[in-house]
């Protein structure tokens, strides 16, 4: 779930910049004063070249140690990386549960490694004023693979949303060729077959499907969901899916502001008419006993137990959990089958969010700029995170050892003795645990062919349907000044808490929707309008200064 957890990050700045970063207007600055920073760098390094430092180099990196595949310094990933690039990575390993806090302390104290991955925009904004991280857009001229993909995939509008007030950006994001969708609803296909229910196309169809399930099994809640995030139960994946379907931001997808292209203004997401319409739909499902009220607070284990024991028939799912969890959970139920529904559509139509084309990325410590190996480090980063060969290596490993074939012609095959997600689930070796490949610190972004290489045929069919959908445009930049960011930060937490708390109350019927106007006034009393005024002022200022 490394890709979608970014939706949980709702720092104040996220609202203001719901789009994602742009390629440097100051590209020429990257070469200024770097004559003595080229030790180990390649001359004439260009897109498609294999990077190999001209002398052995070591770069420090912050390593998120994933609970599912804890960090090992002796992974074949690191051995092969050094062989190919002449670079050794010196990792500072931090457990995922402590990563954000530890990173913040290290960066703020000036003690961070040179390379700081797994950073989700707008987390980098907290470090800009102190000068602890580089304006990386000044140095992308040193990164030919990155700049080539930005141009070829037309990612500049997405990147523009990463820019700070100075017109520069401070985070190198993962780049996706196309928007993509992973999460949807998992459903007991055998129950649907028994009840002769067609696959739902819209969320209204989902409601009809749940009603038929409830009619046949009045003693249970057909949908009992997972992926809630106590103590903020207003943030979960079901709300995220519904928010997108209704043209707003909710749950994991929460950002405080929503761009209204018709009015050319930002609106407060939790006060939008679309947000209310989403809650009306959800409350109807809860009031009819179609959705388990505990969906917004229960742990994943409890939700999975209900699904496994036949106490529910519908649950949130992604490609990995479908194979690795749900199908194993119901294996003891005779005849049980689980399918992933094509993502239902809502009033917003058949759209996918354009922001899904960028992912978490890298910050670079300002100290790295003083290293004699700075240019070589930027070339190394460019190869590993942005070249086709680097992406293939970090994702799938070593041709002939962990995989065969190519992704671009569809001949790719993971070695049958190695498992990853839904591929070769019964194999004795694990690509992540035993080899260190497909590690979330390194392996993200890439072409659609690369993305599809990780999927089963079933998931490829799901993705083919998603690819038919229209990609919504990203919001325009509205970068805040340091003072403005400090101000909205003071308001953001109280506003978000109020939205999340009342989202749950409205959904569960603990507060009637007839009090919606009163709720909106409560948000205004907590400075939602002043928040919007600052954001819209920042938008107008940036448009005037940068076009």
């Amino acid at each position: 779930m490394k890709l979608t957890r970014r939706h949980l990050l709702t720092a104040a700045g996220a609202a203001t910049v719901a789009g994602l970063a742009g390629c440097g207007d100051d590209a020429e600055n990257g070469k200024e004063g770097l004559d003595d920073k080229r030790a180990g760098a390649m001359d004439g390094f260009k897109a498609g070249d294999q990077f190999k430092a001209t002398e052995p180099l070591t770069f420090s990196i912050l390593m998120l140690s994933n609970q599912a595949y804890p960090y090992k310094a002796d992974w074949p990933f690191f051995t092969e990386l050094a062989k190919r690039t002449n670079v050794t990575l010196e990792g500072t390993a931090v457990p995922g549960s402590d990563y954000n806090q530890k990173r913040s302390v290290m960066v703020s104290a000036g003690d961070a490694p040179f390379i700081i991955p797994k950073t989700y925009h707008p987390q980098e904004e907290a470090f800009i004023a102190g000068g602890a991280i580089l304006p990386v857009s000044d140095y992308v001229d040193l990164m030919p693979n990155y700049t080539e993909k930005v141009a070829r995939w037309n990612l500049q509008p997405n990147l523009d949303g990463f820019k700070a007030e100075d017109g520069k950006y401070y985070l190198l994001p993962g780049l996706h060729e196309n928007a993509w969708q992973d999460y949807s609803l998992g459903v007991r296909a055998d129950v649907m077959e028994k009840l002769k229910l067609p696959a739902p196309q819209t969320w209204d169809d989902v409601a009809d499907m749940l009603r038929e399930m409830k009619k046949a099994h009045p003693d249970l809640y057909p949908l009992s969901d997972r992926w809630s995030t106590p103590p903020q139960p207003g943030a979960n994946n079901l709300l995220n899916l519904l928010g997108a379907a209704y043209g707003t931001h909710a749950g994991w997808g929460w950002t405080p502001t929503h761009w209204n292209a018709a009015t050319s203004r930002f609106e407060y997401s939790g006060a939008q008419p679309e947000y209310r319409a989403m809650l009306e739909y959800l409350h109807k499902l809860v009031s009819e006993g179609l959705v388990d009220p505990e969906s917004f607070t229960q742990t994943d284990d409890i939700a999975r137990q209900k699904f496994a024991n036949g106490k529910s028939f519908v649950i949130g799912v992604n490609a990995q959990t479908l194979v690795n969890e749900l199908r194993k959970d119901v294996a003891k139920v005779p005849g049980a089958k689980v399918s992933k529904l094509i993502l239902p559509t809502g009033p917003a139509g058949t759209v996918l969010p354009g922001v899904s084309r960028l992912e978490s990325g890298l910050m670079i410590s300002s100290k790295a700029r003083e290293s004699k190996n700075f240019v070589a480090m930027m070339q190394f980063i460019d190869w590993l995170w942005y070249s086709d060969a680097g992406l293939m290596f970090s994702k799938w490993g070593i041709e002939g050892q962990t995989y065969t074939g190519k992704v671009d012609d569809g001949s790719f095959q993971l070695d049958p003795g190695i498992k990853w997600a839904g591929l070769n689930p019964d194999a004795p070796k694990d690509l992540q645990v035993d080899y260190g490949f497909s590690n979330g610190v390194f392996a993200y972004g890439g072409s659609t062919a690369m993305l599809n290489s990780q999927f089963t045929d079933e998931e490829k069919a799901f993705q083919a349907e998603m690819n038919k959908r229209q990609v919504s445009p990203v919001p325009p930049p509205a970068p805040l000044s340091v003072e403005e960011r400090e101000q909205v930060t003071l308001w953001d937490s109280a506003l978000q808490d109020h939205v999340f708390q009342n989202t749950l109350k409205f959904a569960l019927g603990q507060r009637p929707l007839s009090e919606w106007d009163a709720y909106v006034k409560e948000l205004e009393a907590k400075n939602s309008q002043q928040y919007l005024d600052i954001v819209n002022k920042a938008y107008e200022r940036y448009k005037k200064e940068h076009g």
Side-chain angles (χ1 to χ4, degrees), residues 142-285:
L142 303 173
M143 303 176 65
N145 291 287
Y146 174 87
T147 53
E148 189 272 338
K149 282 183 168 58
V150 167
R152 179 157 52 93
W153 294 346
N154 192 28
L155 285 165
Q156 188 63 49
N158 299 66
L159 288 167
D160 284 344
F162 274 12
K163 289 181 179 177
E165 190 186 16
D166 59 8
K168 302 179 182 183
Y169 58 92
Y170 292 73
L171 182 72
L172 290 169
L175 309 177
H176 285 277
E177 181 179 6
N178 293 301
W180 73 292
Q181 176 72 32
D182 187 8
Y183 286 72
S184 186
L185 296 176
V187 64
R188 281 278 300 276
D190 57 303
V191 173
M192 292 185 67
E193 291 171 4
K194 184 176 181 180
L195 298 176
K196 296 181 171 56
L197 299 176
Q201 304 297 310
T202 68
W203 282 99
D204 286 341
D205 293 343
V206 169
D208 290 338
M209 175 189 74
L210 297 176
R211 289 187 184 103
E212 291 302 314
M213 290 177 171
K214 181 75 173 181
K215 190 183 302 182
H217 302 273
D219 57 332
L220 55 76
Y221 296 106
L223 194 164
S224 188
D225 207 27
R226 62 185 303 181
W227 292 322
S228 293
T229 55
Q232 294 181 322
N236 74 351
N237 185 51
L238 179 59
L239 283 161
N240 174 44
L241 298 180
L242 285 171
Y246 275 81
T248 187
H249 307 293
W252 285 359
W254 168 257
T255 57
T257 60
H258 179 89
W259 175 249
N260 186 326
T263 62
S264 296
R265 305 288 288 175
F266 285 95
E267 302 171 341
Y268 197 76
S269 300
Q272 287 183 278
E274 292 85 352
Y275 202 94
R276 174 177 177 160
M278 174 199 72
L279 289 175
E280 288 175 340
Y281 171 85
L282 186 56
H283 170 62
K284 189 171 186 179
L285 297 188

Side-chain angles (χ1 to χ4, degrees), residues 58-118:
T58 298
F59 298 130
S60 57
I61 183 171
L62 195 62
M63 286 290 303
L64 184 151
S65 184
N66 194 301
Q67 184 179 5
Y69 46 95
Y71 169 75
K72 297 176 185 175
D74 62 350
W75 269 328
F77 171 89
F78 294 114
T79 306
E80 182 68 19
L81 182 67
K83 186 186 303 182
R84 295 190 185 195
T85 65
N86 215 9
V87 169
T88 298
L89 288 178
E90 185 179 76
T92 298
V94 179
S97 58
D98 299 327
Y99 189 78
N100 290 349
Q101 181 179 3
K102 180 72 172 178
R103 181 192 58 209
S104 180
V105 170
M106 295 178 74
V107 174
S108 298
D111 296 330
F114 281 5
I115 304 171
I116 310 165
K118 294 304 289 181

Side-chain angles (χ1 to χ4, degrees), residues 495 498 502 506 511 515-528:
L495 281 166
H498 198 67
N502 282 276
F506 285 131
R511 185 174 188 180
E515 294 185 11
W516 176 262
D517 291 344
Y519 154 77
V520 171
K521 291 188 181 301
E522 291 159 10
L523 292 177
E524 292 171 352
K526 295 179 183 295
N527 301 299
S528 64

Side-chain angles (χ1 to χ4, degrees), residues 141-462:
D141 64 307
L142 303 173
M143 303 176 65
N145 291 287
Y146 174 87
T147 53
E148 189 272 338
K149 282 183 168 58
V150 167
R152 179 157 52 93
W153 294 346
N154 192 28
L155 285 165
Q156 188 63 49
N158 299 66
L159 288 167
D160 284 344
F162 274 12
K163 289 181 179 177
E165 190 186 16
D166 59 8
K168 302 179 182 183
Y169 58 92
Y170 292 73
L171 182 72
L172 290 169
L175 309 177
H176 285 277
E177 181 179 6
N178 293 301
W180 73 292
Q181 176 72 32
D182 187 8
Y183 286 72
S184 186
L185 296 176
V187 64
R188 281 278 300 276
D190 57 303
V191 173
M192 292 185 67
E193 291 171 4
K194 184 176 181 180
L195 298 176
K196 296 181 171 56
L197 299 176
Q201 304 297 310
T202 68
W203 282 99
D204 286 341
D205 293 343
V206 169
D208 290 338
M209 175 189 74
L210 297 176
R211 289 187 184 103
E212 291 302 314
M213 290 177 171
K214 181 75 173 181
K215 190 183 302 182
H217 302 273
D219 57 332
L220 55 76
Y221 296 106
L223 194 164
S224 188
D225 207 27
R226 62 185 303 181
W227 292 322
S228 293
T229 55
Q232 294 181 322
N236 74 351
N237 185 51
L238 179 59
L239 283 161
N240 174 44
L241 298 180
L242 285 171
Y246 275 81
T248 187
H249 307 293
W252 285 359
W254 168 257
T255 57
T257 60
H258 179 89
W259 175 249
N260 186 326
T263 62
S264 296
R265 305 288 288 175
F266 285 95
E267 302 171 341
Y268 197 76
S269 300
Q272 287 183 278
E274 292 85 352
Y275 202 94
R276 174 177 177 160
M278 174 199 72
L279 289 175
E280 288 175 340
Y281 171 85
L282 186 56
H283 170 62
K284 189 171 186 179
L285 297 188
V286 173
S287 66
E288 293 182 26
L290 307 179
V291 169
D292 185 353
E294 295 181 355
S295 293
F296 308 97
T297 53
Q298 66 190 354
T299 65
D300 281 16
D301 286 345
I302 291 176
R304 287 175 59 189
Q305 287 172 15
K306 290 177 181 178
F307 191 77
N309 296 331
K311 301 298 184 183
S312 70
F313 301 135
V314 185
I315 191 172
V317 71
N318 63 21
Q320 293 189 41
T321 58
L322 175 67
V323 176
N324 293 345
E325 296 178 359
L326 298 187
R327 285 182 174 156
K328 292 180 179 178
D329 288 347
V330 301
K332 63 182 180 181
V333 180
K337 296 186 293 184
V338 187
S339 296
K340 180 180 176 183
L341 293 179
I342 299 299
L343 183 66
T345 60
T350 54
V351 296
L352 292 179
V355 294
S356 66
R357 297 188 66 199
L358 297 189
E359 208 180 322
S360 66
L362 313 173
M363 296 187 293
I364 306 296
S365 169
S366 295
K367 294 187 301 182
R369 175 65 171 73
E370 303 310 311
S371 168
K372 66 179 182 178
N373 306 124
F374 176 70
V375 173
M377 187 189 77
M378 297 305 289
Q379 291 178 346
F380 167 76
I381 289 171
D382 182 60
W383 180 83
L384 182 56
W385 275 274
Y386 299 104
S387 76
D388 292 342
L391 288 164
M392 191 68 191
F393 169 74
S394 61
K395 181 70 178 178
W396 293 122
I398 307 165
E399 186 174 6
Q401 294 186 33
T402 60
Y403 75 90
T404 58
K406 302 181 182 302
V407 299
D408 52 6
D409 65 5
S411 62
F412 167 83
Q413 292 289 329
L414 184 63
D415 184 278
I418 301 173
K419 63 185 172 184
W420 184 84
L423 303 179
N424 307 331
D426 299 319
K429 293 284 190 177
D430 187 290
L431 186 68
Q432 295 171 311
V433 175
D434 299 308
Y435 294 89
F437 296 110
S438 201
N439 187 307
V441 171
F442 305 103
Y444 47 75
S447 67
T448 299
M450 174 74 73
L451 179 69
N452 287 341
S453 70
Q454 70 189 48
F455 296 140
T456 62
D457 289 342
E458 177 183 18
E459 179 62 19
K460 288 176 184 177
F462 176 89

